[in-house]
Structure formats: C-alpha cells, structure tokens
C-alpha cells in the first residue's frame, strides 16, 4: 500500500467515525434496551458500557446499568452506577430506592440511612423507608427500624421489602411465631421472593428444624443460584446433618467463588479430615479461623487433624480450647485425653474420662484411652480390666484383642499378652500390629532370639516391606549388637533407599560418632525420595546448627516453613535459633502468618515472651506472659518469666510475688532462687538476701552469680578484700564481660583504682572488641581526670555510632578542639535526640562554637526531659547571657541557687550571678 493510499484510508476512517459519533451512544443504548426486554442481561451490560464510552453523561445508561448489576447481585458495582445516575439527575423516584437497596446489599448501611427523602413519590418513599429499615436492622437499631417499617407499610401496605423487614425485626426480637406469620404472608404474596425464603430458613434454623431450614435454603438457591449467603448456610447445615456429599458440593462451589470463605473452608476441612488427608484438612481449617467463635467445633476438628499429623503442641492448644468451650462434650474430652496420653500426663486422662465412662460404660474409645492412662500410672489391674471389657464388647475384633495384649505387656505380663496377640493374628493374619507386639513381648522378657525368629517370619511374609528390617535392627539395638543393627538398617535401604525410619536411625548412629556429613547424607536421601518430609528437614537444620552454619539453619527452616505453613515445629525451631544467636528482634518473623489460635499456643507464647524480654519490651512481655500463665497457672517457669518482666518494667512488688509463687510451685527452681536473692539484695533486705544466699551456696557453689552475690555480701559486711576475692573467683571461673566489670568494680570498692584499670587493659589486649569494658576504662580515666580521649576514639573506630563515646568525647574536646567536638556532639544528638545528657553536651558545644541560637534550642529540649537538673539550668543561664538575654539568665540563676542543690558548676553559677548584678 502506497503512502498516499495509507493517508487516504486513515482520513476516510476518521471521517466515518466522526460522522456516526453523535448517534453511536444512543444506538448502543437502544440496543441495550432491546437486550433487556429479551432477558439478555450480559449483552445489555456490554451495550450499556459501549454507550457510556461514547457519552459518560447518559443518565439512563447509568440507571439501566446499575439496575442490571443490582438484579445480578453485584451490589458494589450497582451502587457505583446508581450514584452516578443520581448525580446526572435521572428520575429520583427510580434511582433513590434502587441506590438504597444496592447500599444495603453491599453492607454500606450508614450511607443508605443518610439518603435524602425529599421530592419522592409515596411509592418511592415506601421503598426507601423499607430499605432504611433493613439498614437499621443490620446495625442493631431495632426501635428505629420498627418506626420506618410502620411508616413504609402505612404508605404501601403490601410492600414486600417492608414486610420482609418486619419479619426480620421479629426474628431479631425472638418473636418467632409472629415472624412465621409475617413470612408465610409474604411468601403467599410473593412465592418467588428469595429474600423471604432466606428469612424462612433463618427462622427454621432458630427453631432447630434443620430439615425444614435446608428446604428453605434450597428454595433460595433454586430462585437465585448465585446466592452465596444461602449456599453457605445450606452447606453448613449439610455438615451438621452429616450429609457429606451435599456439604462437599456446596463447599467446592463456594470456594470457586470465594477461595478464602471461612465456612466453605471449614466444611472442606472436615471432609478432608474424614478422608484422612490431614495436611489438606489443616490448611482449610486454618482458613476458617474467623468463624471460630460462631463454630467452636472448628477447634475440635483442628485438634483432631493436628493430633493425627503428630503436631502435639497444636493439638494440645486446640483440644484445650474446645474443652474450655464445651467441657461436657464427650468427643472433646476424648480428644484432649488422647493428647494428654501422648504428653504422658496420665492423671489428666483419668480426670477427663472417668465421668465419661461412668455415664457411658460401653464407650470403647474412652475405655481404651482410660486403660492406657491407668496402666502407665501403675494401676495395671484396673487398666487391664477395662481392656478386657473392650474385648468382651468386641469379641471378634482383632484390634480389641491387640489392645488387651498391649495392656498386659505394659503391665509386665508378657506371657498372658501372647495369648491375646495370637488370637488377634488368628482373627486377622495380616494384622501387622499383632506381629510387632508379639516381637515386643519377647523383647520385654529379653528373649532376643525368639524376638528375632518372629521378626524373621514377619520379614518372610513381607519381603518387600522395610518395616521388618527396621524391626530386626531395633531388636539388635536393644540387645546391644549395634553392628548387626546397622547392617539390618542398611538391608532396609536396599529394599527402599529412601525409607525414612532406616535413614533416620543410621543418621543418629553417625551423629553419635560425630560424623555430621554422613548424618546429613542420610537426611538428604530421605528428602530426595520424600521432598516434604518435615522431620528430615528439621534434622538437617539441627545438623547445620552443630556445624555452626547459622545461614544454612535459617534457610533450611524457612524452606520447611514454606513447605508446611500450618506446622509449628519449623517456626519454633527458627525462633529458638534466633534467640540462641542473640537476635530476639527476629523471633516475631518466625510466626508471621499464624492464625490467632496458633498464636495462643503455649510454645509460641513462651518464645514470644522470651524475645520480648530479650528486647527489653517488658510491658509487652507481661501481657504475653499473662496469656501464657492463664493457660497453665501452676507452671513455675512461667511465673519466673513473669517476675523477670515485672522487674524490668519496674513493678517490684509483682516481681517478688511471682518469684515467691514460682518457688512455692517448685522450690528447686534455680533461676527463681537466684533472681529472688538478687531482688532482695537490690531492695536492701539484707537478712532475706543472706537467707537466700545460704541456700544457693549449698545448691550452686560453683555458680558465677552466687560468687558475685557472695562478693556483694562481703562488701555489705565491710570486707572489701573478701569481695575482691569472690569476684576474682567468678572471673576466673567464667571470664567474660560481666565478670570483668564486676571484678573491676570491687577493686574500686576496695580503693584499688590502678588494679581495676590494669584488669581492663589486660582484658582489652585479649579482647579488643569488647566495647563495654573499653567504655568503662574510659569512664574511670575521665572521672580521675586522666587522658580518656584515646579510649573513646578507639571505641568509635569499632563502633562509630556509639552514643556514649560520641557524647563523652565531645565533652572532653569542647574547649581544646571545639570544631571536632561539635561534629561528635551533633552526631550523638542525631542518634539520641531525646536524651537530656546528649542534648546538654550539644548545647554547651554549640555555645562554645558561637552558635547561640542552636545552643538555646538544644538546652530547651534537654530541660523538657529533665526540667529541674541544676547543671542544665546553669547551662541555660550561661547560654542566655551570651545571647544577650540577661534578665532570663539572672532569673534562672536566682531560682537555681535558691534551691540550694549541690552541683559541679555551683561556684561558676554564683560568679555569673554576681557579674550580672543580683
């Protein structure tokens, strides 16, 4: 095509477009009207959008588009278009009631109530009042809603929306008979009104008529297939009815529309739980967390799923939560008892299940759990009696026979156990657990030869099963033949190279020999065959930790967290790793994405509290520990941690109470005993301090803290030489920053300042990076009037933003090198903008550099933090005088000196006041 042809074609096209533009919007609008008349809403919406692209100010197009969206259930889009139609002055009698309906459907009730009523016809007014009534009901404003309903029905007695609102009001007030009459009347008049049928479903649900409620919601979905609210209600009812197929279908439909829908995720979680797909169940159930309060069974389902997955901490958290909500629930008690059994808290199993068995003596599940708990407590006879009852209740059950056999084994009656185990094998020859228990019965009697014979028979029947080789290896290990055990584990790997059990056992043997590479290789093998194997991922992280490879530990645990987002173990290990590395600020990142229920898990709360203590966020730690202690009020460690938080926040009485409670619960809690002794020392309660110290000297004679407390006691007894001796012993036992500073302090107490400085210098020759000791040396030199600038400069070489070094160096250089001092002072002020000391130094250095306005600003800010500090007030007067504010300086000095407070610059203050003419 030539250039001239191209230009001609473009011009022709432009002319053609220009010629039809005036009519195009109307053409699209007319086409939309025709599509709506034919019932083709999708085509109508497309034509209306085309019309509005041509002319955005077509009020009718906005009205029709909004109305169509409203009919299709897209309330938010409808409200947007109807509001624009209102702005374009389309008929208010049409738009205002429809706009109100869209706002109510979108949940914007306050805006619906605000809509003006002026200029509307009676019919439009009745519709608007009815919608406003629905908005008031949604906000819980029943009395205001009643008035609007009465007004709407007075104008238009048959207004269906007002009748619906009246029925909803009656439901809200619990007037179920009146609500039923209203709804029946409404449905008679408008049998195809989905909102009326939905309210009928609500009414029947309140009457606990589940089948009738389901019928009502089915009617809603027949009339309005896209009604997600009705679908959600119907799906939850199906779950309650045990209609798994209907529940699954409804949940899938809801999840396609809204993947994060809590109700749908709850249903899918329960379905997956029934199908024993526990990881998927946990994923869906976690997404249902927002409806935990309305549907407390969610906690039961989550506890069951986590228990099945072996996530004991999470199972405990959810099972305990459900038990607290529904202590009378039999299945709740059985779930929590299962958790307590695995936690080896056998008395708790007894407490939970004895009432159940008294009321339901044939509950087989409760009998089995109770029996296990009793046997582990040593109440063997009663436990075996319960298992025998289970066997009587289920005489043809191999599992019942196995249970009794296992009980007898636990009770030390291996011979009697064999009879029931053999019976189980007769009932079910392929029952693997029976084979395993039979082997166990021989091992229990140290008859390893017989055990190996039975394990060999099991291996012959299952030649391709690694379980048999793992069993043989376990028998060899119990007999002490580790070489044969290792050979059997390797035989298992010949059957299945990725077998987790054999690889784990071989890895542990390698770790015992210190062969980290071999151990890691076994866990890597597991992951090659089972990429999401969480235990292998965690064990590799532990191997990395033993290697000291912190980056690898974090990377490994982060990957495990991504692969298993619902599992707490990788998050807890990550948090503990951060704490061990002195990074408490990173612990919270390990718990990002946890549900609220998981955040209440005791292990999570404990780590969170430890991190908060590490960051010195004592008030937040107290809040966390209150939640933790509420979950286990008789935990001595939790009370101890609470005491640490209370002490850090300055609540000494609470700290003392918590320490006393910790020691009451566990008199041998060494941390609490040490902390209480330190607290008594701090409070000056010498007799109580010495009593605690006497106990600690007996129990922890080699503890560094105890040695330092002995040094403090010696100083109290005015024996500074003994104080130095105890502190030196602490330093020699554990040479570190704290003991260096403590020994230096006791040297000063004894008046031996040169010994303290020598100690610090010797330490810094070995550990030149120890900033705390270097600062202490500089401070001692500065107080003694000796040259300290070198020590502060060395500090800044290693830590350029150390505020103490910057501030003190600025002060030392303020007169002999004011320019350099100003650089340091300003940097300190930037790093600690609210610190009175740094602001005071900055003010004085600015003053000495002639920057009086900056000096006045800094000293004012310093006094905001400490308004009565004498040195700050003197510096304020000094700066004010230099700036020509003589009266201000004189008034400040008079008040300062009249207060009769001793301060270093007192003589200078008196001289300045005299010079100003008092």
């Amino acid at each position: 095509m030539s250039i001239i042809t191209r230009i001609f074609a473009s011009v022709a096209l432009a002319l053609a477009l220009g010629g039809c533009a005036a009519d195009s919007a109307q053409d699209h609008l007319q086409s939309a009207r025709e599509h709506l008349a034919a019932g083709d809403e999708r085509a109508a919406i497309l034509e209306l959008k085309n019309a509005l692209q041509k002319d955005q100010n077509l009020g009718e197009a906005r009205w029709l588009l909004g109305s169509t969206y409203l009919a299709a259930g897209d309330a938010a889009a409808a409200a947007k278009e109807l509001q624009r139609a209102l702005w374009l002055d389309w008929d208010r009698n049409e738009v205002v009631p429809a706009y109100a309906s869209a706002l109510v459907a979108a949940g914007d009730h306050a805006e619906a109530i605000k809509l003006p009523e002026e200029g509307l016809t009676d019919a439009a007014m009745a519709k608007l009042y009815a919608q406003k009534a629905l908005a008031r009901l949604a906000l819980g404003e029943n009395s205001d809603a009643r008035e609007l309903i009465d007004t709407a029905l007075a104008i238009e007695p048959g207004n269906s929306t007002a009748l619906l609102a009246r029925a909803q009001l009656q439901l809200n007030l619990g007037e179920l008979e009146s609500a039923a009459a209203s709804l029946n009347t409404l449905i008679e008049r408008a049998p195809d009104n989905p909102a009326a049928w939905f309210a009928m479903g609500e009414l029947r649900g309140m009457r606990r008529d589940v089948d009738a409620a389901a019928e009502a919601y089915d009617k809603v979905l027949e009339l309005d297939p896209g009604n997600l609210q009705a679908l959600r209600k119907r799906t939850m009812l199906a779950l309650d009815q045990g209609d798994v197929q209907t529940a699954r279908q409804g949940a899938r439909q809801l999840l396609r529309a809204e993947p994060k829908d809590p109700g749908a995720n709850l249903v899918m979680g329960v379905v997956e739980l029934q199908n024993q797909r526990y990881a998927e169940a946990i994923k869906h159930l976690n997404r249902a967390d927002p409806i935990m309060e309305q549907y407390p069974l969610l906690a039961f389902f989550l506890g069951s799923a986590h228990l099945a997955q072996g996530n004991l901490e999470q199972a405990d958290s959810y099972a305990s939560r459900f038990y607290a909500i529904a202590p009378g629930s039999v299945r709740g008690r059985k779930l929590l008892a299962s958790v307590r059994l695995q936690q080896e808290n056998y008395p708790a199993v007894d407490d939970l299940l004895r009432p159940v068995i008294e009321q339901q003596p044939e509950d087989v599940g409760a009998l089995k759990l109770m029996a296990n708990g009793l046997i582990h407590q040593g109440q063997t006879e009663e436990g075996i009696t319960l298992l025998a009852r289970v066997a009587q209740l289920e005489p043809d059950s191999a599992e019942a026979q196995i249970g009794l056999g296992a009980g007898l084994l636990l009770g030390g009656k291996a011979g009697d156990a064999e009879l029931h185990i053999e019976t189980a094998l007769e009932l079910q020859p392929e029952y693997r657990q029976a084979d395993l228990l039979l082997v166990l019965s021989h091992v229990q009697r140290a008859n390893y030869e017989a055990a190996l014979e039975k394990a060999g028979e099991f291996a012959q029947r299952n030649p391709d099963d690694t379980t048999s080789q793992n069993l043989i290896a376990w028998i060899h290990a119990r007999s002490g033949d580790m070489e044969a055990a290792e050979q059997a584990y390797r035989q298992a790997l010949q059957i299945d190279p990725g077998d987790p059990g054999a690889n784990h056992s071989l890895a542990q043997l390698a770790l015992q020999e210190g062969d980290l590479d071999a151990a890691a290789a076994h866990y890597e093998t597991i992951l090659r065959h089972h990429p999401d194997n969480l235990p292998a991922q965690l064990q590799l992280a532990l191997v990395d930790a033993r290697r000291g490879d912190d980056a690898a530990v974090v990377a490994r645990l982060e990957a495990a967290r991504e692969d298993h987002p619902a599992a707490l173990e990788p998050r807890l290990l990550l948090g503990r790793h951060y704490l061990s590395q002195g990074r408490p600020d990173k612990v919270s990142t390990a718990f990002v994405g946890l549900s609220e229920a998981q955040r209440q898990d005791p292990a999570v709360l404990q780590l969170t509290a430890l991190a908060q203590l590490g960051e010195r966020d004592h008030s937040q730690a107290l809040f966390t520990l209150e939640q933790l202690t509420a979950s286990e009020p008789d935990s001595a460690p939790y009370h101890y941690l609470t005491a640490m938080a209370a002490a850090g926040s300055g609540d000494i009485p609470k700290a003392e109470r918590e320490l006393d409670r910790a020691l009451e619960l566990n008199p041998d809690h060494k941390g609490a005993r040490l902390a209480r002794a330190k607290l008594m020392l701090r409070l000056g309660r010498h007799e109580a301090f010495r009593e605690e110290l006497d106990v600690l000297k007996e129990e922890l004679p080699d503890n560094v803290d105890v040695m330092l407390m002995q040094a403090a006691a010696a100083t109290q007894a005015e024996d500074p030489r003994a104080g130095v001796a105890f502190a030196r012993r602490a330093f020699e036992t554990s040479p570190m920053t704290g003991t260096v500073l403590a020994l230096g302090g006791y040297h000063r107490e004894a008046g031996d300042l040169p010994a303290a400085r020598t100690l610090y210098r010797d330490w810094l020759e070995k550990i030149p990076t120890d900033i705390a000791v270097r600062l202490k040396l500089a401070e001692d030199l500065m107080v003694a009037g000796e040259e300290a600038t070198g020590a502060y400069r060395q500090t800044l070489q290693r830590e350029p933003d150390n505020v103490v070094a910057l501030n003190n160096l600025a002060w030392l250089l303020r007169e002999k090198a004011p320019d350099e001092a100003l650089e340091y002072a300003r940097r300190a002020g930037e790093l600690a903008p609210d610190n009175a000391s740094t602001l005071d130094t900055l003010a004085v250095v600015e003053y000495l550099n002639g920057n009086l306005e900056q000096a006045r600003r800094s000293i004012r800010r310093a006094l905001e933090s400490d308004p009565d500090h004498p040195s700050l007030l003197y510096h304020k007067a000094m700066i004010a005088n230099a700036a020509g504010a003589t009266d201000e300086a004189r008034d400040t000095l008079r008040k300062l000196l009249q207060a009769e407070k001793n301060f270093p610059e007192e003589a200078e203050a008196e001289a300045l006041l005299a010079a100003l003419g008092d």
Side-chain angles (χ1 to χ4, degrees), residues 138-412:
L139 295 172
E141 300 170 0
N142 292 326
S143 59
D144 291 335
R146 185 190 296 278
E147 185 177 339
L148 288 164
I149 293 165
D150 291 343
T151 304
L153 290 173
I155 298 170
E156 186 183 338
N159 185 289
S160 61
T161 305
L163 290 170
L164 178 64
R166 184 171 66 183
Q168 186 62 58
L169 172 63
Q170 290 161 342
L171 284 174
N172 288 358
L173 298 175
E175 300 170 0
L176 302 189
E177 294 304 320
S178 298
S182 296
L183 287 172
N184 285 328
T185 300
L186 178 57
I187 289 172
E188 284 176 12
R189 294 183 181 182
D192 293 337
N193 186 327
W197 280 107
F198 184 88
M200 183 62 82
E202 295 284 272
L203 169 65
R204 291 170 176 175
M206 293 172 74
R207 287 176 162 175
R208 302 189 183 280
D209 191 345
V210 178
D211 292 337
E215 288 177 8
Y217 292 127
D218 284 338
K219 185 64 176 177
V220 177
L221 294 169
E222 176 189 326
L223 296 167
D224 182 9
N227 191 313
L228 295 182
Q229 192 176 10
L231 181 60
R232 189 175 296 112
K233 292 279 187 178
R234 181 67 183 92
T235 302
M236 297 297 285
L237 279 178
L239 181 63
D240 287 340
Q241 292 172 298
D243 185 352
V244 177
Q245 183 176 357
T246 301
R248 184 192 296 114
Q249 289 173 350
R252 285 177 176 167
Q253 193 174 340
L254 281 167
L255 290 174
R256 280 195 295 272
E258 297 181 11
K260 293 185 179 180
D261 181 270
N265 275 291
L266 169 60
V267 174
M268 284 304 297
V270 175
V271 170
E272 297 289 16
L273 182 61
Q274 291 175 342
N275 291 334
Q276 299 183 3
R277 289 164 50 88
Y278 302 116
E280 285 297 308
I282 290 169
K283 180 180 74 174
H284 284 294
L285 292 170
N286 278 332
R287 291 176 180 167
D289 189 71
I291 59 171
M292 179 80 78
E293 289 188 14
Q294 300 97 301
Y295 208 89
L297 266 174
L298 172 58
F300 172 81
F301 295 135
L302 270 166
S304 302
H306 278 297
L307 185 62
Q309 279 285 87
N311 305 330
L312 197 57
E313 290 176 334
Q314 296 96 314
D316 184 1
S317 176
Y318 287 112
S320 299
R321 187 168 179 176
F322 181 69
Y323 175 69
I325 295 169
S329 168
V330 171
R331 61 178 169 180
R333 283 177 172 266
K334 286 158 70 173
L335 174 62
L336 187 55
S338 299
V339 173
R340 295 288 178 258
L341 190 64
Q342 290 199 30
Q343 292 173 330
E344 300 181 6
N345 186 353
Y346 305 120
V349 176
D350 195 318
D351 293 340
L352 286 162
L353 294 180
R354 199 168 288 279
V356 174
I357 292 172
E358 287 174 359
Q359 294 176 15
Q360 301 181 20
E362 296 186 358
D363 187 318
V364 170
L367 288 168
K368 290 176 182 177
L369 288 168
M370 182 78 165
N372 272 301
L374 289 168
I375 291 169
H376 280 96
Q377 289 184 83
Q379 300 177 44
T380 309
E381 293 302 322
E382 186 181 357
I384 291 173
T385 299
L386 294 182
L387 289 172
R389 189 191 304 175
V390 172
Q392 289 173 353
L393 291 168
E394 299 179 336
D396 297 327
S397 166
E399 184 181 352
Q401 295 295 332
I402 282 293
L404 181 53
L408 290 165
L409 274 178
L410 288 170

Side-chain angles (χ1 to χ4, degrees), residues 408-414 439-447 478:
L408 290 165
L409 274 178
L410 288 170
K413 300 178 180 181
V439 168
L440 178 62
S441 71
H442 291 302
V443 170
Q444 192 175 79
R445 289 176 290 175
N447 190 350
R478 287 295 298 267

